[in-house]
Amino acid sequence: MQPILDRRVLTHFDFLLFFFLFPLMGLSAFLIHEANATLSFKQGLYFIVAFVVFWGMLLVPFRRLDRSFYIIYWFCIFLLVLVNVAGTSKLGAQRWLSIPILSISFQPSEPVKIAILLLLAHLIRINPVPNGGYGWKIFGKLSFYIVLPAILILKQPDLGTALVILIMGFGVLFLVGVHPKIWITLGLVFAIASPLIYSSLHDYQKKRIHDFIAEKPNYHVRQSIIAIGSGGFLGKSKEESTQAKLKFLPIATSDFIFAYFVERFGFLGALLLLSFYMVFVMHFLAYFKNNPTDHFLQAIVVGIAILIFVYTSVNIAMTLGLAPVVGLPLPLFSYGGSSFITFIALFGIFENLLAFKFSFGYNRPSRKKGFLAQLVRALGS
C-alpha cells in the first residue's frame, strides 16, 4: 500500500498560491495597522485562525466524503434557518449567530458558500456534463441547492451575499456546461419579473439603488472618491493622507479600504493591485482549463475564481460610485474574519484536491486502512 504522503504531494502542491496570498495579507495588515492599531491586533488573530483552518482543510479527504456533502450542506441550511429564528441583529440586519461560551458571533452565510461549492462539485462529478450541456432535469436539481440558501440569506436581509451566492452557483454551472436554451429562458423570465423583484426589496435596499443612479452619490461614496482622487499618481505619505487620518473616509479598514489604499499608493498602486487580482483569478481558471476530466476540481476552482472576481469588482466599483454600496469586502484585504477565513478554507480545499489527487482520488485505497491510519504511517516513515 502506497502511503498517502509521498513525493507527489509536493509535486502537485500549488506553492504559487502563497505568492498571491502573502502580499495581499501583508499590505492589508500594514494599512489596517496605520488606520487602527486595535483592529490590527484582531486581524492578526484572524490570520492565526486562518492558518489553522487552511492546514485543517488540507488534510480532509474531500474526494472520499461522497454523501457527507449533503450533511454539511443541510447543516448550513439549518444554521441559516436558526439565524432567522434566534439570530443576533446588528445595524438592523439579523445575520449572526452568537456562541455564548466563547462570546463570539459568526455569519452562517459564509460557510454555506463552501457547502454549496462542495455539493455542486460532488453532483457534477457523479453526473458528468453530456454533449450540449445539462438539461432541465439536472439543472433544476442543481439550481435548488443554490437558490434555497440564497432565499434564506435574502430574508436576513442580506441582498449582497444572496446575489454573490447566486452568481457563484450559476456561474459554476455556466462554465461547466448548461444547454443554451435554459439560459435564454431564464434571461427572459428575469427581465419580465424585474419590476416585481424590485418592489419586493426593503426600503434601505431601494435607497441604495436610488443613491447609485442619482446624480450626486451619498456621503460615504463622495468621501471615497475624494480619497481616490487625492492620491494622485504615486500616492501620499501617512501624514498627508487626510481623508483617512482625519476620519473623513468612512470604514477605511473594511468596505472602503481600496480608497485608503489608493490615497496612500496612488493610481499606479491601484493599477498594480487590480492587475494582481486579475492574475489571481486567471490562475484558478487555468486549472479549470487544464483539468477537463477532474470535474470536482473544476467546480471548486471556478467557484473560487468567481468569488474573487465578484468581491473585487463590486467592492472597487462601489468605492468609485459605479455600484451600490452592498458591504462586500475586498477579498483577503479588508478587515474582518468571516470572509477572510472562508477564502482561506477554500484555498485549503483547493490545495487538498491538487496535492492528494493521486493518493485518495479516483483510485481509492483499501477501506482496511483509513485516512488517519495512512497519515500516521506516512509521518512515521
Side-chain angles (χ1 to χ4, degrees):
M1 175 65 66
Q2 186 176 8
I4 197 168
L5 295 180
D6 57 26
R7 294 178 181 177
R8 289 177 296 184
V9 171
L10 294 179
T11 301
H12 295 90
F13 194 88
D14 183 16
F15 290 98
L16 190 58
L17 175 67
F18 299 104
F19 167 80
F20 294 102
L21 284 181
F22 291 154
L24 290 174
M25 293 169 61
L27 270 174
S28 171
F30 172 75
L31 291 175
I32 293 172
H33 179 73
E34 274 195 351
N36 191 316
T38 302
L39 293 183
S40 177
F41 174 76
K42 292 182 178 179
Q43 191 69 13
L45 295 178
Y46 293 141
F47 285 174
I48 295 173
V49 173
F51 177 84
V52 175
V53 169
F54 177 85
W55 292 106
M57 293 295 100
L58 180 64
L59 296 177
V60 176
F62 287 100
R63 294 183 188 270
R64 297 176 57 193
L65 293 181
D66 293 336
R67 295 191 177 277
S68 298
F69 295 126
Y70 290 98
I71 298 175
I72 297 171
Y73 175 87
W74 287 110
F75 177 72
C76 288
I77 294 297
F78 167 75
L79 293 179
L80 290 177
V81 174
L82 195 60
V83 167
N84 291 322
V85 175
T88 302
S89 298
K90 296 180 182 179
L91 301 176
Q94 191 168 312
R95 304 172 185 172
W96 291 263
L97 283 178
S98 298
I99 304 177
I101 299 176
L102 300 178
S103 298
I104 61 173
S105 59
F106 71 100
Q107 288 183 265
S109 58
E110 290 299 327
V112 79
K113 297 170 188 172
I114 302 174
I116 293 170
L117 268 184
L118 288 173
L119 184 55
L120 285 179
H122 169 67
L123 292 173
I124 292 170
R125 179 179 62 182
I126 63 178
N127 297 282
V129 181
N131 293 332
Y134 285 130
W136 281 106
K137 183 178 179 180
I138 297 297
F139 177 79
K141 179 180 179 180
L142 297 176
S143 298
F144 170 79
Y145 293 114
I146 299 170
V147 173
L148 176 60
I151 292 175
L152 294 174
I153 292 171
L154 190 61
K155 288 173 61 66
Q156 294 180 358
D158 190 351
L159 177 61
T161 302
L163 288 176
V164 166
I165 285 177
L166 292 175
I167 294 171
M168 177 196 72
F170 288 109
V172 170
L173 298 184
F174 177 80
L175 291 178
V176 168
V178 174
H179 198 284
K181 68 180 181 181
I182 294 179
W183 297 120
I184 295 173
T185 303
L186 292 178
L188 292 174
V189 171
F190 178 79
I192 296 172
S194 293
L196 180 62
I197 295 173
Y198 176 80
S199 63
S200 65
L201 295 177
H202 292 267
D203 290 338
Y204 81 94
Q205 293 168 339
K206 293 179 181 178
K207 184 178 184 304
R208 287 179 176 177
I209 297 176
H210 292 166
D211 290 340
F212 168 61
I213 62 178
E215 295 183 3
K216 185 177 181 181
N218 63 29
Y219 172 80
H220 289 185
V221 176
R222 290 201 304 271
Q223 296 302 323
S224 173
I225 294 174
I226 292 172
I228 292 172
S230 67
F233 186 74
L234 295 176
K236 296 180 175 180
S237 65
K238 177 183 177 181
E239 291 71 23
E240 295 176 333
S241 301
T242 54
Q243 283 296 107
K245 184 179 179 180
L246 300 180
K247 309 299 182 183
F248 289 117
L249 180 64
I251 328 177
T253 57
S254 54
D255 287 359
F256 291 93
I257 195 171
F258 178 75
Y260 181 35
F261 172 83
V262 179
E263 186 179 29
R264 289 284 281 110
F265 298 101
F267 174 79
L268 180 61
L271 184 63
L272 292 174
L273 184 62
L274 285 173
S275 301
F276 196 78
Y277 273 113
M278 180 179 68
V279 176
F280 198 12
V281 171
M282 296 303 295
H283 176 69
F284 285 104
L285 291 179
Y287 279 100
F288 174 80
K289 181 179 179 180
N290 296 331
N291 294 269
T293 60
D294 193 345
H295 304 301
F296 198 103
L297 176 63
Q298 279 191 322
I300 296 297
V301 295
V302 165
I304 294 174
I306 291 173
L307 284 176
I308 295 174
F309 175 78
V310 170
Y311 271 81
T312 302
S313 56
V314 172
N315 178 273
I316 293 176
M318 72 184 192
T319 63
L320 294 169
L322 301 177
V325 179
V326 292
L328 292 184
L330 192 59
L332 308 168
F333 210 82
S334 295
Y335 167 77
S338 297
S339 175
F340 177 75
I341 293 173
T342 297
F343 274 108
I344 295 299
L346 286 171
F347 296 152
I349 295 171
F350 160 71
E351 291 285 18
N352 171 278
L353 298 178
L354 289 180
F356 295 111
K357 178 176 181 178
F358 296 99
S359 294
F360 52 82
Y362 303 109
N363 298 319
R364 299 184 180 183
S366 171
R367 294 183 181 274
K368 294 180 180 179
K369 291 186 179 295
F371 170 72
L372 292 177
Q374 294 180 64
L375 181 60
V376 171
R377 175 185 172 186
L379 293 176
S381 60

